[in-house]
Amino acid sequence: MAGDGWSLVLFDDEGRPLLGTWVPPHGLGVTDPADTDHRAMLQFGESTVRLAEIARQSAHASEAVAELWPLIARLEARVEDGHTEREVLHLLGRARVGLGVALGNVLPEERLSTAARWTAKSVDIARYFGDPNFTSYVLRMHGNELRKARLHGAAVDRLRYAVALAPNQEARAAALPLLARAAGALRNQRLFTG
């Protein structure tokens, strides 16, 4: 370790150095947990996501969009700069889902696919973490936005996966009514008779 990062040297088959570079800690996904700026950013982001969800559930979805949009822009810029800490990615995934769901409440019907695109941006992050609860939640929200956008086949697919991944009865109970609505819109009776 040299200074505030690591030196990285690549060698050829005969042991001669080919390339040398310096890699900052955040380039390897390492951040000092004692870094007050990092902690403050995460705490602010978590509070923003929670408050946006409260606003959305209180019929103030446009305020939720206004809160989440700048947070997501900051987090995406941070990730583009190589700051790919676990906490940042998890927060980004939750914020994108929240934005997509809030957009699904304020956009006109012909633009609802935009909401589904935002929730879709969280699916890869959720799968990366391998947390069944988080992945089931993201798929549930994404599936519901797909249903609202009238992409019923895709909605049923994501919601079936959300139900299958649900780690407990509460998560299953949250996903099943959404699956029933999507399957009903698709007129897929097999889902309920098999």
Side-chain angles (χ1 to χ4, degrees):
M1 191 158 134
D4 287 88
W6 287 270
S7 294
L8 177 68
V9 180
L10 301 177
F11 296 94
D12 66 11
D13 291 340
E14 296 175 10
R16 293 182 299 239
L18 290 174
L19 174 70
T21 188
W22 178 83
V23 181
H26 71 267
L28 299 172
V30 177
T31 300
D32 182 5
D35 179 7
T36 56
D37 289 340
H38 180 71
R39 280 198 329 255
M41 183 266 310
L42 289 174
Q43 289 172 349
F44 170 78
E46 292 291 342
S47 295
T48 301
V49 170
R50 279 194 307 272
L51 289 172
E53 180 61 16
I54 291 168
R56 184 189 66 79
Q57 291 178 358
S58 302
H60 297 283
S62 59
E63 285 86 354
V65 171
E67 291 295 324
L68 290 170
W69 189 263
L71 173 65
I72 291 169
R74 281 188 219 107
L75 292 172
E76 287 178 344
R78 188 170 173 84
V79 169
E80 285 177 18
D81 286 342
H83 296 275
T84 57
E85 302 90 359
R86 231 177 131 72
E87 300 89 2
V88 171
L89 289 174
H90 197 270
L91 180 59
L92 177 59
R94 289 183 43 236
R96 284 175 172 172
V97 167
L99 178 63
V101 172
L103 286 170
N105 291 338
V106 298
L107 290 175
E109 190 172 329
E110 62 273 6
R111 299 296 308 253
L112 288 176
S113 62
T114 300
R117 278 196 291 279
W118 275 102
T119 56
K121 290 182 175 195
S122 292
V123 173
D124 286 339
I125 292 174
R127 288 182 177 151
Y128 168 78
F129 284 111
D131 174 5
N133 197 37
F134 183 54
T135 305
S136 179
Y137 166 75
V138 168
L139 289 168
R140 184 173 76 237
M141 295 297 105
H142 180 50
N144 195 45
E145 293 309 316
L146 287 168
R147 178 193 60 79
K148 289 165 46 180
R150 297 180 186 218
L151 299 168
H152 301 123
V156 167
D157 180 58
R158 298 327 180 278
L159 290 165
R160 288 180 79 178
Y161 192 35
V163 169
L165 280 179
N168 54 45
Q169 292 296 352
E170 184 179 322
R172 256 177 83 77
L176 282 171
L178 300 176
L179 176 58
R181 288 181 75 183
L186 194 59
R187 301 191 190 317
N188 188 339
Q189 294 179 347
R190 280 185 338 185
L191 283 173
F192 301 103
T193 60

